[in-house]
Amino acid sequence: MLIRSRKPWSLKDSEVTDEGFYRERRRFMQSSAALLASASAPALLAPRPAAAVTVAGAKPSPFSTDEAPNSFEEITNYNNFYEFGTGKDDPARHAHQLRTKPWSVAVDGEVERPGTYGLEDVLNGIPAEERIYRLRCVEAWSMVIPWVGVPLGDVLKRYGPTSRAKYVEFTTLRDPEQMPGQRRPVLPWPYVEGLRVDEAMHPLTILAIGLYGRELPNQNGAPLRLVVPWKYGFKSIKSIVGIRLTEQQPLNTWQAVAPREYGFYANVNPDVDHPRWSQSRERRIGSDSLFAPKQRTRLFNGYGEYVAHLYAGMDLSRNF
Ligand SMILES: Nc1nc2c(c(=O)[nH]1)N[C@H]1C(S)=C(S)[C@@H](COP(=O)(O)O)O[C@H]1N2
Ligand SMILES: [Mo]
């Protein structure tokens, strides 16, 4: 990519915080991507480069929020990724140890075409979109992140889910050599997450491959990471190597560790508190000081008009 002369995290805050600047830059990137495409038509016959090209060409999505995105600095320096340590700054410091190329994903269980597929094949032909989503962590902070991703449903469909497929289970890479946090039993490794199939097929659910128009930084879950904007952040599992369609509800990592505190559904819900703290408000990372008033959390993180019907008739305080 043309503009990646420096490491992304070396960008100064002033270069990336301003939304106007970001939109300018995005236009620049889209036009340079178009130029590249037209100037190099014969190159189409060459082997397809993986995700990078797709990331640069991402089309803005109507599902995006119009809230100002957090800065690239904030999004890539305040992370949860316990495979690299439990501190918010550990992923930024240690995730460079993860080798994300080549990358493959094992798709199995209730599908007609199980197999281990290279990431390029998983994404092949599915246009990437830019989706600016709120991310609400169960720890009561939030960010706004301009993801680049593909609808998860489009990926799942190509493997032919059978009629017995009721759930999807996702697995993160397990490799203590590349992931120093896995050398300690902080969590049972590998990290596992799950969705109901209708949640997985919902058009808001994406697999992210980038943010701010660039390839996904390792600390955010490169090269492939789930994003489900109406659920708490822990559902958005990072660095995915396994996708399994199942008949039984998967046991996600945080529910396995603390079932009283973390459920399977994990829908953002200001009225259902975490047993140890309130979920009614949230602190937007960066925008306020620790002492500034928090903002109210919205049911389904504000995406209720799109997703509330998925839970019609369910008791959300029992199915938390
Ligand atoms: N494999 C894995 N995925 C993970 C986590 C993790 O520790 N390991 N943390 C989760 C939590 S709690 C949150 S809030 C989000 C944070 O995503 P971000 O760092 O990109 O903001 O990642 C989620 N995905
Ligand atoms: Mo989280």
Side-chain angles (χ1 to χ4, degrees):
M1 264 164 57
L2 283 178
I3 61 158
R4 273 198 68 180
S5 47
R6 287 171 294 172
K7 289 243 178 2
W9 45 90
S10 73
L11 276 181
K12 286 197 278 307
D13 212 34
S14 57
E15 293 179 276
V16 288
T17 41
D18 177 63
E19 203 194 347
F21 168 81
Y22 170 53
R23 302 216 174 268
E24 265 322 302
R25 193 169 54 88
R26 192 171 61 184
R27 264 196 292 280
F28 163 74
M29 291 177 64
Q30 281 169 350
S31 51
S32 51
L35 263 177
L36 269 178
S38 59
S40 57
L44 290 175
L45 301 172
R48 179 187 303 275
V53 166
T54 326
V55 170
K59 299 271 180 309
S61 160
F63 287 122
S64 290
T65 169
D66 53 13
E67 289 163 282
N70 278 89
S71 72
F72 189 85
E73 284 294 318
E74 289 160 354
I75 294 167
T76 58
N77 286 288
Y78 191 88
N79 301 100
N80 274 335
F81 199 171
Y82 279 19
E83 284 83 342
F84 296 101
T86 53
K88 302 295 178 215
D89 55 350
D90 283 329
R93 288 192 295 154
H94 302 299
H96 64 89
Q97 294 174 67
L98 177 65
R99 294 183 300 271
T100 59
K101 286 172 189 165
W103 193 267
S104 51
V105 180
V107 183
D108 61 13
E110 294 295 339
V111 285
E112 277 152 20
R113 290 173 287 283
T116 298
Y117 299 94
L119 182 60
E120 314 76 57
D121 297 328
V122 173
L123 301 172
N124 185 19
I126 305 176
E129 293 171 27
E130 183 185 67
R131 301 279 187 99
I132 307 177
Y133 280 163
R134 286 180 290 279
L135 178 129
R136 174 38 160 96
C137 180
V138 73
E139 297 163 296
W141 51 264
S142 62
M143 288 199 204
V144 176
I145 304 181
W147 300 110
V148 176
V150 297
L152 171 63
D154 290 352
V155 170
L156 294 180
K157 276 181 226 151
R158 64 176 23 155
Y159 304 108
T162 73
S163 59
R164 283 187 300 276
K166 300 286 187 295
Y167 297 91
V168 192
E169 179 186 277
F170 304 86
T171 308
T172 294
L173 178 69
R174 185 188 165 279
D175 184 355
E177 211 181 288
Q178 299 182 65
M179 296 175 140
Q182 289 182 338
R183 294 171 208 161
R184 295 184 301 139
V186 183
L187 291 175
W189 310 111
Y191 195 97
V192 170
E193 257 308 335
L195 294 174
R196 231 167 47 191
V197 146
D198 57 345
E199 299 175 322
M201 303 301 282
H202 191 283
L204 277 177
T205 304
I206 59 170
L207 286 170
I209 56 172
L211 62 83
Y212 263 113
R214 319 165 188 205
E215 280 183 71
L216 202 57
N218 284 3
Q219 57 266 47
N220 296 91
L224 193 67
R225 173 247 174 87
L226 182 67
V227 180
V228 194
W230 69 94
K231 293 179 181 281
Y232 290 118
F234 70 85
K235 296 300 281 185
S236 59
I237 181 172
K238 296 177 171 182
S239 304
I240 295 166
V241 295
I243 299 179
R244 173 171 296 163
L245 283 285
T246 65
E247 208 169 353
Q248 305 298 325
Q249 182 175 299
L251 181 59
N252 49 310
T253 294
W254 283 104
Q255 187 179 21
V257 168
R260 256 176 31 84
E261 302 187 14
Y262 309 102
F264 174 77
Y265 283 94
N267 292 319
V268 174
N269 192 334
D271 304 324
V272 177
D273 289 336
H274 185 283
R276 290 184 281 134
W277 58 80
S278 165
Q279 291 293 15
S280 67
R281 292 174 175 275
E282 65 199 63
R283 182 172 63 90
R284 179 62 52 81
I285 294 301
S287 62
D288 348 284
S289 82
L290 276 169
F291 307 102
K294 295 181 173 182
Q295 46 181 276
R296 298 190 86 80
T297 286
R298 292 193 277 160
L299 182 60
F300 300 117
N301 202 20
Y303 298 93
E305 62 176 303
Y306 303 114
V307 300
H309 68 274
L310 297 174
Y311 311 102
M314 282 177 65
D315 178 349
L316 296 179
S317 59
R318 291 192 54 217
N319 299 283
F320 59 88

